[in-house]
Amino acid sequence: MNSNKYRKIYQDLSGKIINGEYKEGAQLPSENLLVQSYGVSRETVRKALSLLQTNGYIQKLKGKGSIVIYNQAMNFPVSQLISFEEIKHSLNMDYNTVVESFETVRAKDHKSVQEALNLGDDTELYRVVRSRRDKERVNIIDTDYFIKSMMPGLNEEIAQHSIYDYIEKRLGLLISYSKKAITFEPMTDDDLELFKETMPPYAAVVRSVVHLEDASAFQYNVSKHRASEFKFVDFSRRTIRK
Amino acid sequence: MNSNKYRKIYQDLSGKIINGEYKEGAQLPSENLLVQSYGVSRETVRKALSLLQTNGYIQKLKGKGSIVIYNQAMNFPVSQLISFEEIKHSLNMDYNTVVESFETVRAKDHKSVQEALNLGDDTELYRVVRSRRDKERVNIIDTDYFIKSMMPGLNEEIAQHSIYDYIEKRLGLLISYSKKAITFEPMTDDDLELFKETMPPYAAVVRSVVHLEDASAFQYNVSKHRASEFKFVDFSRRTIRK
DNA sequence: GAGTGGTCTAGACCACTAA
DNA sequence: TAGTGGTCTAGACCACTCG
């Protein structure tokens, strides 16, 4: 359906990098060759390559070419906006999601959420608490707040699978960007109960405000991780200097 | 010296957003207006706007315009590749840097560094340990490893100020991107001594491998933060779907 | 000098939003 | 319908790398 030429090129090349067809350190075909093989203009090829560079797949070298810098080990909870289901899937992890709580609350009773999503006092929210566990224990506790009126038909069943899938495929909403903050905090009593452990008493906490394509804030997420298991991997580029 | 048109537009607009001339929620002039006021082609304006969007300053809305989503509160240790001196400067922080150690070591004695930078056994490295303290106490301990042969003239004096400044201005090297990982770990005895505290015995640890414009890895950094003071703020966009 | 990526242009056509 | 951003093109000129 989506027939953007540059996206197809991006998909094609990033796919070949991920599956190892182009390995780390390898050189991509030159822009001119790509122009020929895809039958598009140079600017279109360059758009795809820019995206690959922005997302940490390649580095473009003036006068030389584009080389692959993507590295399999990096591909963990990367600093990208992906859902837990997607991470699980891409890593073949054997995690189990349990919906611990699914309730309707009012914005005024959750001030940080109200502020972040810019809501009136009586706006109704879904508050969904989900634990993520492997065979042995709970490693992550996700608490999500959604604006109820934006999420018709959301239920526990859906929450147990992928809410993002429901949002994008069924509601047709486009998730666009998020602002997140990572901190390390002592566990609360509730946390200790869910994690079923008293040590270590610290959790890595990721708070995110997720926005749609039209820039409206629609989700507030608090993701608590067993601190000893937490690893956040990030790729960042130097901003424009001077 | 650098007369890229799109960079100037980016600088100009991001500056106006940061200093509040365009506030959060405000609309930027349309692309056509920017074309006229800057006297450039539309693609050039669009390049600048794309950069602003990628870096979390604006969101472009089809059929409507570009609105500012940048938010002052976000502007903390952002997920950008900036040096401590730059953060300090942009936040007007009163931090003090002390060089705790400045020595030459061999790669083979620091395996994780050797592997990350892809070095031979006997490659010489500078190992620089710096503490960052406010009036009361040490909050950050930075340990950096640089390839000695790439850093002629690096000394303690420079380390006390900004090594990045030295690298970019004096050596003329272009820092390009980094891969970093954030974890939560027990403090070592050395850490406890520098932090001068026995509680909390945990530190937030950020390990980075920094690369130059030509994709060569040249710096390995371990930055330990007092966990209670640690906050990592991130902006991320949804990757291309499907 | 041949090949590479970086910047910039002028213009086209499209899809979306709003009044 | 007028205005907005999204995609794509063909071509120009430049700076850089390498043999």
Side-chain angles (χ1 to χ4, degrees):
Chain A
M1 208 85 293
N2 189 340
S3 66
N4 291 10
K5 295 183 181 180
Y6 78 92
R7 280 179 191 243
K8 286 198 171 150
I9 299 172
Y10 174 88
Q11 295 297 356
D12 191 37
L13 294 176
S14 63
K16 285 178 177 171
I17 290 169
I18 290 170
N19 75 28
E21 199 159 328
Y22 292 119
K23 297 193 202 316
E24 187 175 2
Q27 198 158 134
L28 249 46
S30 76
E31 294 183 353
N32 277 324
L33 284 175
L34 293 172
V35 163
Q36 289 168 37
S37 59
Y38 288 105
V40 298
S41 75
R42 186 165 162 235
E43 284 294 355
T44 299
V45 164
R46 285 179 54 71
K47 207 163 180 177
L49 294 178
S50 286
L51 257 182
L52 289 169
Q53 168 154 295
T54 299
N55 293 340
Y57 288 101
I58 65 171
Q59 176 73 2
K60 305 179 84 181
L61 308 180
K62 209 185 291 192
K64 284 180 156 173
S66 300
I67 63 167
V68 177
I69 61 173
Y70 175 91
N71 155 336
Q72 205 69 7
M74 264 292 291
N75 190 23
F76 207 64
V78 191
S79 167
Q80 282 179 350
L81 197 46
I82 50 182
S83 73
F84 187 78
E85 279 296 318
E86 289 168 295
I87 291 178
K88 223 175 71 178
H89 187 73
S90 75
L91 297 179
N92 293 317
M93 282 166 80
D94 196 17
Y95 257 77
N96 203 357
T97 296
V98 173
V99 179
E100 303 284 351
S101 157
F102 186 97
E103 53 179 341
T104 300
V105 299
R106 285 186 189 284
K108 66 179 169 212
D109 299 323
H110 299 264
K111 285 298 178 191
S112 50
V113 181
Q114 179 176 14
E115 194 179 332
L117 302 187
N118 196 20
L119 305 172
D121 277 354
D122 290 322
T123 306
E124 286 190 316
L125 298 167
Y126 282 124
R127 178 175 183 276
V128 184
V129 180
R130 291 177 289 180
S131 61
R132 323 285 198 172
R133 62 185 74 208
D134 61 18
K135 274 162 203 141
E136 289 158 20
R137 54 189 187 176
V138 171
N139 280 318
I140 306 174
I141 300 170
D142 266 328
T143 305
D144 285 288
Y145 298 84
F146 297 98
I147 298 165
K148 191 169 179 177
S149 62
M150 292 180 70
M151 310 283 282
L154 179 61
N155 58 38
E156 244 184 277
E157 164 72 16
I158 293 170
Q160 181 147 6
H161 301 96
S162 178
I163 293 185
Y164 266 34
D165 219 56
Y166 155 80
I167 291 165
E168 296 193 329
K169 302 228 173 101
R170 292 223 234 148
L171 298 184
L173 298 176
L174 292 177
I175 293 158
S176 182
Y177 63 92
S178 82
K179 298 175 178 180
K180 58 182 93 162
I182 299 173
T183 52
F184 291 97
E185 304 173 15
M187 289 187 185
T188 66
D189 290 346
D190 283 351
D191 295 338
L192 287 171
E193 192 179 321
L194 277 173
F195 279 122
K196 287 205 171 42
E197 201 159 350
T198 49
M199 286 295 285
Y202 278 91
V205 184
V206 182
R207 291 188 174 75
S208 315
V209 182
V210 182
H211 297 251
L212 299 178
E213 204 93 316
D214 67 358
S216 60
F218 94 112
Q219 176 190 9
Y220 187 90
N221 169 270
V222 181
S223 188
K224 297 196 175 190
H225 302 244
R226 192 183 291 279
S228 56
E229 299 293 315
F230 180 77
K231 187 177 183 186
F232 179 84
V233 183
D234 188 42
F235 175 85
S236 62
R237 289 198 170 270
R238 184 106 166 102
T239 49
I240 290 187
R241 274 165 283 265
K242 232 228 122 186
Chain B
M1 204 88 293
N2 189 340
S3 65
N4 290 8
K5 295 182 182 181
Y6 78 92
R7 278 177 193 247
K8 286 197 170 152
I9 299 172
Y10 174 88
Q11 295 296 357
D12 191 36
L13 294 176
S14 62
K16 287 179 177 171
I17 290 170
I18 290 168
N19 76 28
E21 199 161 327
Y22 292 119
K23 299 195 202 314
E24 187 175 4
Q27 197 156 138
L28 249 46
S30 75
E31 295 183 353
N32 278 324
L33 284 175
L34 293 172
V35 163
Q36 288 170 37
S37 59
Y38 287 104
V40 298
S41 75
R42 185 165 162 234
E43 284 294 354
T44 300
V45 163
R46 285 179 55 72
K47 208 163 180 177
L49 293 179
S50 287
L51 258 180
L52 290 170
Q53 168 154 296
T54 299
N55 293 340
Y57 288 102
I58 65 171
Q59 176 74 1
K60 305 179 84 181
L61 308 180
K62 209 185 293 192
K64 284 179 157 173
S66 300
I67 64 166
V68 176
I69 61 172
Y70 174 91
N71 154 337
Q72 204 69 7
M74 265 292 293
N75 191 24
F76 208 64
V78 191
S79 166
Q80 282 179 349
L81 199 45
I82 50 182
S83 72
F84 188 79
E85 279 295 319
E86 289 168 295
I87 291 178
K88 223 175 71 177
H89 186 73
S90 74
L91 296 179
N92 292 317
M93 282 165 80
D94 197 17
Y95 258 76
N96 202 357
T97 296
V98 174
V99 179
E100 302 284 351
S101 157
F102 186 99
E103 53 179 341
T104 299
V105 299
R106 285 185 189 282
K108 66 178 169 209
D109 299 324
H110 299 264
K111 285 297 177 192
S112 50
V113 181
Q114 179 176 13
E115 192 179 332
L117 302 188
N118 197 20
L119 305 172
D121 277 353
D122 291 322
T123 306
E124 287 189 316
L125 299 167
Y126 282 125
R127 178 174 183 276
V128 185
V129 180
R130 291 177 288 182
S131 62
R132 324 285 199 173
R133 63 184 75 208
D134 62 18
K135 272 162 205 141
E136 290 159 19
R137 54 190 186 175
V138 171
N139 281 318
I140 306 174
I141 300 170
D142 265 328
T143 305
D144 284 289
Y145 298 85
F146 298 99
I147 298 164
K148 191 169 180 177
S149 61
M150 292 180 71
M151 309 284 283
L154 180 62
N155 57 38
E156 244 183 276
E157 164 73 13
I158 292 170
Q160 180 145 8
H161 301 95
S162 178
I163 293 185
Y164 266 32
D165 219 56
Y166 155 81
I167 291 165
E168 296 193 328
K169 303 232 173 97
R170 293 223 234 147
L171 298 184
L173 298 176
L174 292 177
I175 294 159
S176 182
Y177 64 94
S178 83
K179 297 174 179 181
K180 59 181 90 162
I182 299 174
T183 52
F184 184 75
E185 303 172 16
M187 289 186 185
T188 66
D189 290 347
D190 284 352
D191 295 338
L192 288 171
E193 192 179 319
L194 277 173
F195 278 122
K196 289 207 170 39
E197 201 158 348
T198 48
M199 286 293 287
Y202 283 92
V205 183
V206 183
R207 290 187 173 75
S208 316
V209 182
V210 182
H211 297 250
L212 298 178
E213 203 92 316
D214 68 356
S216 60
F218 95 112
Q219 177 191 8
Y220 187 91
N221 169 270
V222 181
S223 189
K224 298 195 176 188
H225 302 244
R226 191 183 292 279
S228 57
E229 299 293 314
F230 180 77
K231 186 177 181 185
F232 178 83
V233 183
D234 188 41
F235 176 85
S236 62
R237 286 196 173 273
R238 186 107 168 100
T239 49
I240 290 187
R241 273 165 283 263
K242 234 233 122 178

